[in-house]
């Protein structure tokens, strides 16, 4: 009996223990899975990017990542391993330590982005190095070798991106880091595939878990159709060679960005592959700052290119009509100062002639009359109305382009002036340089091109954008970009457009006339503290039914007509006619060859108060 | 007068069926546990003697033949050969110490071709026979005759000591099962109580520290002294003091042996069961393979709790219904070491789940209870004592083997009867059990 009791007690204890282990506790199932299942992620092919004419501008080429699962690494011929991969023993230890610090049981990248040639050498011996295997992934290729500021690049995700991705990214993954690759990362990256592999106690593969029924195939990223005309982009970069500055071209009727040139530029393929880090450091330390996306982030005083907006504000408030004529005495008196008009021109002039000759006193008068108008009651209220007009015309705030990092330029607010001068202590004469695009006023090349698009459209613009189709979807994208009215009386535009036409026809930019196209625009010369003036031109073409609105800024390029205007005319001719007329090839060559890199520093923010032109 | 005998109806088919079911479980489990090995061979080669499963099948065949032979032989032969087989077993145990081959640091095997024979397995059986023979002798009285008691203890002790010398701790523990027999045959209950008490003291000492044990001991003594304070002198008082001093010395001894004699891995195994095992944070708790730049560095390191942890993971992950035959990942991918032999229970736990393990527990308890009932029924002292011996041996195997796989008993390598892979143990257990069946069948005809 005693024996039976002893046996029985032991059996009951064991029974209870088994109940605990097998029925009650649920930790062991997961532990068994952790042991035997190796989760491998399969990276999908990243989406391609096409230009507006269907040309492939970003695609993928295969590269190989050597992966390591530290748990499975065994004793091996390290010397041979290092030799095949051409790394040092120190690299080997460093990379392996990094992988182990990340996880001892999960795979991570040991050596990234090997070309197919380097990899094939390793592949032959791979079986001798347990724990190491290869993952094919794709490397971005940019066949036109241009537009690094446009496309951005992909690189290893940082902590921030991992957190933001809600568990999608893990250390060692690659994601878009800049510009379009970053902006449209969610669309381009697709959906990661997962495969569950069974492994034995030594980590050797033993087939797929549940016959692969749990596996998820990767879904390739969506292709993007860009609004960019890649030929125009290439041509723009060629023209901008050895110059600092930007070209932004927009199709006014749609808001589609045709090109976005930032100069100096570089080959975006430098930022792919194994040399990426090295090249990146070189570019980062380049004094010409090629990594800056100038069209969106460099802010310049717009200079005389701002004059049409001064005129439009005055006209819509009823201060000025197209026939209003004003007598330029070759200068302008404000209390304590006499500001000279720098251009010799016939007088009196109306607004069209004022634009054509870029007469500063004309616009100073208009500006003062606008904000000092009795109907507003005070300068502050008058200025507030004027400020609102500028906002409506797309200045002083971000355009909202589909690219990260854009800057908003600046049109100073009444609050700003109250703070600087005190409430009621400032007058139209205090801020008079705003009238001609100097002073505190700043605009990015993109803003300038966009605001000129609103002139081309006679009163509206469409938020500039770079992508018009994601996968098969172009409709929902169109609805993202509605017409935005400038709230300027439409009648006002006719005379402004005529004025801009005359600038090229017979005014300050007459040297840049294109025989077959009526180009409209305005030259600008922005003084700045970093050396030579910035050469600026903004405009659109043709006069009737405009196809392109464009702004060019050449840092330290001198007069607007010196570099910016010729480059605009060449770009417009190239875009509309596809060829440059023989008579203008000389000018084209001159622009190709000009080297302005040593004419001064980078004028990021200038607040000079006067401008000529 | 002699009744007409129908040998078939007299056998205890209950015992034989339980045996057969366990054997069948064993075959399937070994098939599952060595599935990878089997996968590497072609279909018809499953029964090839190169695989564990093939070998085991051969042994099963041998067993079936042996069962038939044993049942046909006259049961007198077992009493007659009791001392002879004991003698042979002792000789083999000595021989294996001299000529055996080293397996995992133990010298307990004779190598014959690709087979190994483990004399210790047969020694258990022979000892059972010899002990039964001795104690069923005329006028043998272990309760009152100290010489008889010591002779019985010697019969058990000699093979036990030889097995210790082989380094086979598990088999030695099995010889402790004969204590049940002595107790059942009239030896003092102290034979059960003393081991139990020492075990409790050992556990307290190791789990809570020797200081705790000594404090408890001292408090208990002080309490009793207070109880005895009014009486002048009492032999009971002296006895109490001696007992407490004895406990204190024992506790110190256990601690010393544990700290100084036990090897690291043994300490770790005990600590694990006591819930004291601490993972060294620097070492990962999983089987770690250290890649080396320096070839002289240690190649591979298994951590001390690896076996039990993997075993518990295997059993625990089986859940209620199990993962299905051949579908256990722990089993198929060799995460549990020694899975065909000592850890075969994991295979059942993982692939058949709680119902499978419960079934095994129930089968064993049925087997053990039926053996005790059968033993109690015997008219012949020899048969009765032999019956208890069989039950005791099987119980110890059952308790230690299953206990270690579920993390209750420290890891001690002994097989699970009828289920574990291994020819020697299978043959020995089969002999052990089937002879009892035969003795039982003959109980009405023979009076010993």
């Amino acid at each position: 009996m005693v024996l039976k009791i002893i046996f029985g007690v032991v059996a009951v204890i064991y029974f209870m223990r088994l109940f605990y282990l097998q029925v009650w506790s649920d930790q062991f199932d997961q532990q068994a899975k952790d042991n035997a299942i190796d989760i491998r992620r399969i990276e999908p092919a990243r989406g391609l990017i096409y230009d507006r004419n269907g040309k492939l501008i970003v695609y993928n080429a295969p590269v190989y990542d050597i992966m390591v699962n530290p748990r499975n690494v065994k004793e091996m011929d390290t010397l041979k391993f290092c030799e095949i991969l051409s790394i040092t023993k120190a690299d080997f230890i460093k990379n392996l330590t990094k992988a182990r610090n990340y996880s001892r049981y999960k795979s991570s990248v040991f050596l990234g982005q090997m070309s197919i040639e380097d990899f094939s050498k390793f592949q032959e011996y791979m079986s001798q190095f347990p724990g190491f295997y290869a993952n094919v992934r794709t490397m971005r290729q940019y066949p036109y070798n241009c537009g690094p500021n446009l496309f951005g690049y992909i690189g290893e995700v940082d902590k921030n991106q991992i957190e933001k991705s809600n568990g999608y990214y893990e250390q060692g993954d690659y994601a878009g880091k800049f510009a379009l690759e970053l902006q449209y990362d969610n669309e381009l990256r697709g959906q990661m595939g997962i495969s569950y592999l069974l492994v034995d106690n030594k980590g050797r593969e033993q087939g797929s878990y549940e016959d692969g029924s749990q596996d998820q195939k990767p879904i390739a990223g969506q292709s993007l159709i860009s609004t960019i005309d890649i030929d125009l982009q290439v041509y723009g970069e060629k023209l901008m060679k050895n110059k600092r500055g930007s070209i932004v071209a927009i199709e006014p009727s749609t808001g589609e960005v045709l090109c976005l040139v930032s100069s100096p530029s570089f080959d975006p393929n430098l930022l792919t592959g194994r040399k990426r880090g090295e090249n990146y450091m070189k570019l980062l330390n380049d004094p010409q700052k090629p990594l800056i996306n100038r069209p969106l982030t460099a802010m310049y005083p717009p200079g005389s290119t701002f004059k049409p907006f001064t005129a439009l504000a005055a006209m819509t408030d009823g201060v000025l009509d197209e026939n209003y004529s004003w007598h330029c005495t070759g200068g302008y008196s404000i209390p304590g100062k006499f500001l000279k008009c720098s251009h010799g021109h016939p007088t009196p002039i109306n607004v069209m002639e004022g634009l054509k000759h870029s007469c500063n006193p004309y616009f100073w008068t208009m500006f003062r009359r606008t904000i000092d108008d009795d109907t507003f009651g005070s300068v502050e209220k008058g200025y507030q109305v004027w400020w609102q007009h500028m906002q409506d015309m797309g200045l002083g705030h971000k355009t909202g382009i589909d690219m990260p990092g854009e800057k908003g330029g600046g049109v100073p607010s009444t609050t700003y002036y109250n703070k600087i001068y005190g409430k009621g202590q400032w007058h139209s004469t205090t801020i008079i340089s705003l009238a001609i695009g100097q002073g505190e006023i700043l605009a990015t090349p993109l803003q300038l091109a966009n605001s000129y698009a609103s002139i081309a459209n006679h009163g509206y613009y469409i938020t500039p954008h770079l992508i018009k189709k994601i996968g098969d979807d172009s409709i929902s994208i169109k609805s993202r970009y509605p017409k935005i009215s400038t709230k300027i009386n439409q009648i006002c535009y006719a005379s402004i457009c005529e004025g801009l036409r005359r600038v090229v026809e017979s005014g300050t930019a007459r040297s840049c006339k294109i025989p077959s196209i009526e180009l409209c625009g305005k030259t600008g010369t922005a003084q700045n503290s970093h050396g030579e003036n910035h050469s600026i031109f903004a405009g659109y073409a043709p006069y009737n039914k405009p196809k392109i609105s464009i702004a060019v800024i050449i840092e330290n390029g001198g007069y607007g007509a010196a570099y910016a205007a010729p480059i605009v005319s060449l770009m417009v001719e190239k875009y509309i006619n596809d060829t440059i007329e023989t008579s203008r090839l000389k000018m084209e060559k001159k622009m190709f060859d000009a080297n302005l890199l040593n004419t001064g520093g980078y004028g990021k923010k200038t607040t000079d108060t006067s401008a000529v032109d | 007068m002699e009744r007409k005998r129908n040998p078939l109806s007299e056998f205890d088919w209950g015992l034989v069926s339980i045996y057969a079911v366990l054997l069948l479980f064993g075959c399937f489990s070994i098939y599952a546990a060595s599935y990878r090995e089997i996968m590497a061979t072609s279909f018809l080669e499953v029964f090839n003697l190169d695989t564990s499963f093939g070998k085991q099948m051969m042994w099963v065949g041998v067993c079936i033949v042996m069962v038939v032979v044993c049942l046909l032989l006259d049961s007198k032969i077992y009493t007659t050969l009791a001392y002879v087989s004991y003698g042979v077993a002792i000789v083999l145990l000595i021989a294996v110490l001299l000529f055996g081959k080293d397996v995992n640091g133990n010298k307990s095997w004779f190598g014959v071709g690709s087979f190994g024979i483990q004399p210790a397995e047969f020694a258990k059986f022979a000892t059972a026979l010899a002990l039964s023979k001795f104690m069923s002798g005329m006028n043998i009285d272990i309760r009152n005759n100290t010489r008889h008691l010591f002779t019985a203890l010697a019969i058990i002790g000699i093979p036990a000591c030889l097995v210790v010398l082989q380094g086979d701790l598990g088999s030695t523990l099995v010889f402790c099962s004969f204590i049940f027999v002595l107790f059942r045959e009239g030896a003092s209950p102290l034979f059960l109580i003393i081991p139990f008490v020492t075990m409790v003291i050992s556990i307290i000492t190791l789990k809570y520290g020797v200081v705790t044990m000594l404090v408890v001991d001292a408090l208990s003594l002080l309490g009793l002294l207070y109880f005895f304070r009014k009486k002048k002198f009492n032999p009971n008082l002296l006895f109490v003091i001696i007992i407490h001093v004895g406990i204190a010395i024992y506790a110190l001894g256990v601690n010393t042996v544990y700290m100084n004699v036990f090897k690291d891995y043994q300490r770790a195994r005990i600590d694990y069961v006591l819930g004291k095992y601490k993972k060294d944070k620097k070492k990962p708790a999983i089987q770690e393979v250290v890649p080396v730049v320096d070839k002289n560095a240690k190649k591979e390191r298994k951590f001390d709790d690896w076996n039990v942890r993997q075993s518990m993971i295997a059993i625990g992950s089986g859940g209620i219904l199990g993962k299905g035959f051949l579908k256990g990942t722990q089993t198929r991918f060799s995460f549990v070491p020694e899975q065909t032999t000592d850890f075969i229970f994991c295979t059942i736990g993982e692939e058949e789940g709680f119902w499978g393990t419960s079934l095994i527990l129930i089968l064993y308890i049925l087997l053990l209870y039926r053996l005790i009932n059968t033993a109690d029924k015997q008219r012949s002292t020899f048969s009765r004592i032999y019956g208890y011996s069989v039950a005791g041996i099987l119980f110890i195997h059952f308790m230690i083997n299953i206990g270690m796989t579920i993390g209750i008993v420290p890891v001690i390598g002994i097989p699970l009867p009828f289920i574990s892979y291994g020819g020697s143990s299978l043959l020995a257990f089969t002999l052990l059990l089937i002879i009892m069946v035969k003795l039982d069948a003959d109980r009405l005809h023979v009076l010993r």
Side-chain angles (χ1 to χ4, degrees):
Chain A
M1 200 57 210
V2 178
L3 290 187
K4 280 192 186 170
I5 290 171
I6 294 173
F7 294 0
V9 165
V10 168
V12 167
I13 291 172
Y14 284 12
F15 187 79
M16 279 163 24
R17 175 71 171 174
L18 283 167
F19 183 83
Y20 164 75
L21 289 177
Q22 301 193 285
V23 182
W24 191 261
S25 169
D26 53 3
Q27 55 171 319
F28 298 106
D29 196 42
Q30 192 51 50
Q31 287 180 9
K33 281 185 178 156
D34 289 349
N35 268 345
I37 300 175
D38 194 8
I39 301 172
R40 297 241 172 112
R41 296 155 81 244
I42 309 165
E43 201 166 285
R46 201 170 166 85
L48 308 176
I49 304 180
Y50 297 89
D51 92 332
R52 63 188 293 114
N53 300 316
K55 289 181 180 163
L56 187 57
I57 52 178
V58 182
Y59 70 97
N60 307 308
V63 283
Y64 298 83
D65 284 349
I66 306 298
M67 307 293 290
V68 63
N69 189 332
R71 185 177 66 173
N72 305 338
V73 176
K74 269 187 158 177
E75 191 178 339
M76 60 186 209
D77 189 344
T78 321
L79 196 69
K80 188 173 170 191
F81 183 83
C82 292
E83 208 173 278
I84 292 169
L85 290 178
S86 46
I87 56 173
T88 63
K89 189 174 146 182
D91 286 338
F92 175 82
I93 294 167
K94 196 185 86 192
N95 290 355
L96 193 61
T97 312
K98 192 183 161 199
R100 289 163 141 234
N101 288 344
Y102 166 63
S103 167
R104 283 172 185 278
Y105 320 121
K106 279 202 247 168
S107 302
S108 58
V109 178
F110 178 80
L111 196 64
Q113 306 207 340
M114 293 180 75
S115 71
I116 190 158
E117 294 83 16
D118 292 342
F119 171 69
S120 56
K121 209 165 100 189
F122 178 72
Q123 193 177 26
E124 215 177 300
Y125 298 99
M126 199 155 67
S127 58
Q128 294 178 16
F129 308 116
F132 291 91
Y133 63 94
N135 228 359
V136 188
R137 74 164 129 208
T138 51
M139 185 171 78
R140 287 305 232 191
Q141 294 279 295
Y142 307 94
Y144 288 87
N145 307 330
C146 75
N149 63 307
L150 191 57
F151 306 127
Y153 55 91
I154 56 173
E156 214 166 303
V157 284
D158 54 41
K159 225 176 153 188
N160 195 16
Q161 271 177 309
I162 294 174
E163 271 165 27
K164 271 193 195 160
S165 71
N166 290 324
Y168 183 82
Y169 282 128
E170 288 176 12
Q171 185 186 319
D173 286 348
Y174 281 66
K177 296 292 256 187
F178 186 68
L180 286 180
E181 295 276 23
L182 173 60
Q183 179 82 20
Y184 288 96
D185 193 50
N186 286 354
E187 288 81 4
L188 288 168
R189 74 187 182 195
Q191 182 61 49
M192 196 73 79
I194 298 172
S195 84
Y196 298 90
L197 285 176
L198 290 171
V199 291
D200 70 2
N201 60 329
K202 303 267 162 53
R204 292 171 297 210
E205 280 177 32
Q206 302 291 328
S208 56
Y209 174 65
E210 290 186 358
D211 293 328
S213 62
Q214 303 289 313
D215 293 3
Q216 288 162 22
K217 280 207 175 122
I219 301 167
Q222 290 174 298
S223 291
L224 304 181
I225 310 266
S226 166
T227 61
I228 293 291
D229 182 323
I230 195 67
D231 296 328
L232 192 64
Q233 177 80 19
V234 171
Y235 185 66
E237 286 193 16
K238 213 167 148 193
L239 286 170
M240 291 298 280
K241 203 171 171 209
N242 293 326
K243 300 158 194 79
R244 277 185 309 275
S246 307
I247 305 177
V248 179
I250 298 174
E251 186 176 68
S253 57
T254 57
E256 292 175 4
V257 178
L258 301 171
C259 77
L260 202 66
V261 177
S262 179
S263 187
S265 187
F266 57 92
D267 184 349
N269 295 307
L270 289 176
L271 292 183
T272 62
R274 281 171 77 184
K275 293 240 189 262
R276 195 184 79 80
E278 197 181 305
N279 289 334
Y280 184 83
M281 288 318 291
K282 257 189 222 161
L283 291 166
L284 193 66
N285 295 327
D286 186 331
Q288 303 291 351
K289 305 213 182 296
L291 287 175
I292 288 175
N293 192 6
R294 285 177 164 81
L296 268 65
T297 60
M299 301 193 288
Y300 307 90
S304 296
T305 56
F306 186 73
K307 283 173 181 166
F309 306 112
T310 308
L312 283 167
M315 287 164 83
T316 204
D317 287 343
V319 179
L320 171 75
D321 70 33
E322 58 177 83
N323 298 317
Y324 179 84
S325 132
W326 187 77
H327 190 77
C328 176
T329 54
Y332 190 73
S333 281
I334 58 167
K337 245 189 207 172
F338 182 77
L339 304 169
K340 265 177 73 183
C341 177
S342 51
H343 301 274
H345 57 79
T347 188
I349 51 170
N350 60 15
V351 67
M352 291 162 280
E353 290 299 298
L355 285 170
K356 173 179 159 185
H357 296 296
S358 199
C359 174
N360 287 349
Y362 186 90
F363 292 95
W364 283 325
T365 315
M366 290 314 110
F367 177 70
R368 287 195 63 192
R369 285 196 184 181
T370 312
I371 65 171
D372 287 347
D373 200 276
D374 291 341
T375 52
F376 300 127
S378 74
V379 176
E380 191 179 332
K381 277 179 188 155
Y383 180 74
Q384 181 60 37
V385 171
W386 186 87
W387 181 86
Q388 189 57 50
H389 285 314
M390 295 307 131
Q391 300 292 324
D392 290 341
M393 287 188 280
L395 296 164
H397 59 84
K398 293 177 186 177
T399 63
I401 190 172
D402 51 347
M403 195 180 264
E406 187 193 2
K407 289 201 172 150
V411 179
S413 63
T414 51
T415 330
Y416 172 81
Y417 284 125
N418 283 338
K419 207 172 138 197
I420 299 286
Y421 300 108
K423 201 169 167 66
Q425 300 299 301
W426 51 279
H427 309 283
S428 56
T429 46
T430 325
I431 56 173
I432 197 160
S433 45
L434 295 183
I436 55 165
Q438 290 286 149
E440 292 92 342
I441 206 153
L442 291 171
T444 63
L446 175 68
Q447 282 178 321
L448 214 50
N450 182 46
S451 295
Y452 268 77
S454 79
I455 297 175
N457 288 336
H458 288 222
Y460 72 88
Y461 65 90
I462 291 167
T463 303
H465 53 280
L466 292 155
I467 295 301
K468 57 178 182 176
K469 199 169 171 189
I470 298 171
D472 295 325
D473 174 26
S474 58
I475 292 141
S476 81
I477 292 180
K478 217 162 225 169
S479 67
R480 280 185 211 174
Y481 306 111
K483 279 186 187 179
I484 297 170
S485 168
T486 57
K487 297 177 189 148
I488 299 291
N489 194 341
Q490 213 185 329
I491 307 164
C492 309
Y493 281 101
S495 52
I496 298 299
C497 291
E498 174 57 21
L500 293 178
R501 192 183 67 82
R502 288 184 196 174
V503 168
V504 183
E505 180 66 30
S506 52
T508 50
R510 59 190 172 277
S511 62
C512 302
K513 208 161 103 179
I514 313 164
S516 56
I517 301 163
E518 276 190 303
L519 172 65
C520 311
K522 182 74 194 77
T523 52
T525 307
Q527 286 193 343
N528 68 88
S529 53
H530 302 280
E532 195 66 41
N533 294 333
H534 296 327
S535 169
I536 307 179
F537 190 93
Y540 62 90
Y543 177 71
N544 290 312
K545 292 185 184 158
K547 285 184 182 165
I548 179 170
S549 154
I550 183 166
V552 170
I553 292 180
I554 312 295
E555 286 176 26
N556 314 109
Y559 288 111
Y563 290 100
I567 288 176
V568 164
S569 73
L570 289 166
M571 289 292 283
V572 166
E573 190 179 5
K574 180 80 179 172
Y575 179 66
I576 294 175
N577 289 352
D578 210 28
T579 50
I580 305 298
E581 269 194 46
T582 332
S583 62
R584 288 162 46 79
L585 287 176
K586 217 173 116 192
M587 180 201 265
E588 186 188 40
K589 187 171 184 320
K590 190 183 156 199
M591 290 303 133
F592 282 155
D593 295 343
N595 185 339
L596 301 173
L597 285 184
N598 302 316
T599 51
Y602 164 55
K604 195 174 177 186
K605 196 165 190 174
T606 55
T607 50
D608 310 290
T609 50
S610 64
V612 285
D613 206 326
Chain B
M1 90 169 229
E2 200 165 276
R3 273 188 293 172
K4 183 152 175 120
R5 291 169 65 182
N6 178 358
L8 285 181
S9 68
E10 283 169 354
F11 295 134
D12 183 345
W13 290 110
L15 280 179
V16 176
S17 321
I18 295 172
Y19 164 76
V21 173
L22 288 173
L23 199 60
L24 208 62
F25 248 106
C27 294
F28 278 107
S29 302
I30 289 163
Y31 185 83
S34 59
Y35 187 57
R36 265 174 108 181
E37 209 182 29
I38 290 161
M39 289 287 277
T41 62
S42 68
F43 178 70
L44 282 175
E45 284 171 340
V46 166
F47 297 98
N48 191 316
L49 292 186
D50 291 338
T51 66
S52 307
F53 181 71
K55 280 184 194 167
Q56 189 73 359
M57 286 300 99
M58 186 202 78
W59 288 120
V60 168
V62 171
C63 280
I64 291 168
V65 173
M66 206 173 63
V67 166
V68 174
V69 171
C70 286
L71 292 179
L72 291 178
L73 285 174
D74 191 323
S75 59
K76 277 182 198 137
I77 192 171
Y78 306 121
T79 47
T80 317
L81 290 178
Y83 286 141
V84 177
S85 60
Y86 184 73
V88 170
I90 297 294
V91 169
L92 284 174
L93 285 178
I94 294 168
V96 84
L97 278 175
L98 301 174
F99 312 113
K101 65 173 181 184
D102 246 303
V103 176
N104 302 331
N106 294 355
K107 233 180 169 191
S108 52
W109 293 83
F110 283 123
V112 180
S114 66
F115 297 102
I117 292 170
Q118 216 177 351
E121 298 294 345
F122 296 101
K124 296 168 197 167
F125 156 71
T127 307
L129 281 179
L131 187 66
S132 310
K133 174 85 177 175
F134 169 71
M135 284 171 63
S136 61
M138 294 290 258
N139 303 323
I140 296 292
D141 181 358
I142 57 165
R143 188 200 292 266
N144 300 314
N145 188 329
T146 325
R147 240 188 66 208
H148 290 168
L149 178 63
F150 279 104
T151 311
L153 286 174
I155 289 173
I156 303 164
I158 291 166
C161 288
L162 289 170
V163 172
V164 169
L165 290 177
Q166 293 171 9
D168 186 353
L169 188 68
S171 295
T172 312
L173 279 173
V174 174
F175 284 94
C176 297
S177 67
F178 291 110
I179 288 170
F180 290 125
V181 181
L182 296 182
F183 163 72
R184 195 66 187 74
E185 287 304 311
S188 158
L190 285 176
F191 276 99
L192 284 183
I193 293 168
I194 290 174
F196 181 73
V197 170
T198 51
M199 205 167 79
V200 170
I201 293 169
S202 310
I203 289 172
I204 294 174
T205 308
L206 296 180
K207 188 169 169 78
Y208 301 106
V210 67
V211 178
T212 315
M213 186 60 228
L214 291 177
V215 169
V216 169
D217 190 39
L219 286 176
S220 151
L221 183 60
L222 285 174
L224 288 166
L225 284 176
Y226 181 78
F227 179 75
F228 283 109
R229 72 190 183 285
K230 283 176 185 162
K231 292 161 190 169
K232 285 208 167 164
F233 177 78
N234 189 327
N236 285 340
L237 181 62
L238 188 65
F239 180 69
V240 161
I241 292 171
I242 288 170
I243 290 284
H244 280 84
V245 170
I247 289 174
I249 292 169
Y250 176 76
L252 285 169
V254 163
N255 197 52
T256 312
V257 168
Y258 174 77
M259 298 306 282
N260 301 318
V261 178
F262 279 19
K263 292 175 185 131
D264 273 350
Y265 79 92
Q266 289 170 322
R267 250 199 303 280
R269 286 171 176 186
I270 291 168
D271 283 352
Y272 189 82
V273 170
L274 293 176
K276 260 172 50 175
Y277 187 82
K278 280 194 199 79
K279 270 184 255 165
D280 189 338
K281 289 243 162 126
K282 281 177 206 156
K283 306 174 197 161
I286 195 160
Q287 187 173 21
E288 169 83 349
V289 189
V290 185
V292 267
V293 179
D294 176 8
K295 278 205 169 186
N296 296 323
K298 251 194 185 169
K299 203 163 126 193
E300 196 174 294
R301 244 201 112 126
K302 275 184 192 173
F303 287 90
D304 306 321
D305 64 340
W306 171 260
N307 293 18
V308 198
R309 263 169 33 85
Q310 293 306 324
S311 160
M312 279 166 52
I313 289 172
I315 294 172
S317 64
I320 298 172
L321 295 174
K323 296 178 187 169
F325 186 56
L326 301 180
K327 288 186 182 141
T329 51
Q330 292 283 103
T331 300
R332 273 188 66 183
F333 304 136
S334 322
F335 287 97
V336 187
E338 311 292 337
Q339 185 141 16
T340 55
T341 55
D342 297 346
F343 283 93
I344 193 74
F345 190 66
C346 300
T347 308
I348 298 164
E350 187 180 24
E351 300 194 341
E352 267 62 63
F354 184 59
W355 79 262
T357 54
S358 305
L359 187 61
I360 294 286
L361 286 189
I362 291 166
L363 284 171
Y364 269 108
I365 282 304
L366 281 178
L367 180 71
L368 292 170
Y369 276 27
R370 199 171 178 99
L371 275 171
I372 291 172
N373 288 343
T374 310
D376 285 339
K377 280 195 307 210
Q378 301 302 317
R379 290 200 229 151
S380 126
T381 320
F382 178 87
S383 304
R384 189 179 70 231
I385 295 173
Y386 182 76
Y388 293 138
S389 304
V390 175
I393 291 170
L394 293 179
F395 171 69
I396 291 284
H397 273 273
F398 160 80
M399 182 179 80
I400 292 178
N401 184 284
I402 294 184
M404 78 180 182
T405 62
I406 57 182
I408 287 183
V409 173
V411 175
I412 297 165
I414 58 173
L416 188 60
F418 315 120
I419 296 185
S420 283
Y421 168 75
S424 302
S425 69
L426 184 59
L427 285 178
F429 286 125
T430 303
L431 269 177
L432 198 64
L433 185 69
I434 232 58
I435 286 173
M436 188 60 220
V437 173
K438 177 65 184 171
L439 291 172
D440 176 49
D442 287 354
R443 73 177 186 275
L444 296 172
H445 314 291
V446 189
L447 228 156
R448 292 180 187 90

